[in-house]
Amino acid sequence: MPITFDGKLVIAISSRALFDLDESHRIYETKGLEAYSAYQRQHENEILQPGVAFNLVKKLLALNNDRVDPLVEVILLSRNSADTGLRVFNSIKHYELSIIRAAFSNGASPYAYVPVFGAHLFLSSNPEDVRQALQAGCAAATIFNKAAALVNDTPQLRIAFDGDSVLFSDEAERIYQEQGLAAFAASELAAAETPLQGGPFKPFLAALHKIQQEFPADNSPIRTALVTARSAPSHERVIKTLRSWNIRLDEALFLGGLAKGEFLKAFHADFFFDDQTTHCESAALHVATGHVPHGVTNK
């Protein structure tokens, strides 16, 4: 029988999202590819420190523990060559991460392999790779480096999402940007019974929800949250949209424009996804954060 990822949550991740490669990347930028390649070979037995998305990946892979049929597949997509990527695989082995598949593109963008692997999520430090993955129909985010040392040590995986342009389309955000808050609130109140269209992260949330259904609701290894700048009365459409999708979010924070960082810290988020860089900058002071370059605010 051929190997397939049917029924699994598939995560594609770049080496710089998984590990701290800032030092070697600086060598690449200042001294060029040849110096970078030599540096990686010289240090290939030195273990890399965890990167921003390391804790997320570790907890996702832990969902496979003691299971005959794994729930999650994590795939490394890297601009390294196979030769310079040996240090990355040595580090994967050191941390006992069950990542066995990889694509090394030797300087080219690896985004084309994201849909081929059937990934639900792609995390990278390269904004252009992320944009191309989004255009190919995959949830994708550019990591913010500020929170690499902020690790939630609780065993439960906690993921938080912004709403508009992330879980939902940017249809409502467009009205806010073009006509202002009053028009946005009036429009959302009038459309309260009309579900929002899905955004780029809807399939990823649905895949997480499918895993959650494998466990009792009060003892799930995954907890999700919506953390949005919306407030009443625009909350109603969001709630009814999720109801129409038959997708559970464990928590919902309607913050009415308040900075999100402290709330994400209180939620103990392992990772947060937002389309607006201002929200990402606030969040990244407290939790690992990914910018989703999608929707009207990123045009």
Side-chain angles (χ1 to χ4, degrees), residues 163-245:
D164 297 297
S165 301
V166 178
L167 290 181
F168 315 121
S169 73
D170 70 345
E171 60 192 272
E173 182 67 26
R174 286 180 178 273
I175 294 175
Y176 173 73
Q177 294 292 334
E178 295 168 2
Q179 302 178 40
L181 180 59
F184 165 81
S187 175
E188 289 304 280
L189 186 60
E193 300 297 328
T194 304
L196 289 154
Q197 295 296 309
F201 274 67
K202 179 188 175 183
F204 175 52
L205 177 63
L208 287 174
H209 178 71
K210 182 179 178 181
I211 292 177
Q212 285 180 306
Q213 291 179 306
E214 299 265 342
F215 304 89
D218 60 352
N219 191 33
S220 174
I222 301 173
R223 191 167 183 84
T224 56
L226 171 70
V227 182
T228 175
R230 284 178 179 247
S231 59
S234 64
H235 69 296
E236 184 176 356
R237 191 180 186 192
V238 166
I239 293 169
K240 291 184 176 179
T241 294
L242 291 168
R243 187 182 295 167
S244 73
W245 292 353

Side-chain angles (χ1 to χ4, degrees), residues 13-19 21-22 25 52-53 77 79 122-130 141-145:
I13 187 165
S14 74
S15 51
R16 287 181 62 203
L18 184 59
F19 296 116
L21 282 160
D22 286 352
H25 187 67
V52 174
L77 298 186
R79 283 175 174 257
F122 174 53
L123 294 176
S124 174
S125 61
N126 188 298
E128 185 56 32
D129 289 352
V130 167
T142 309
I143 59 166
F144 269 59
N145 284 321

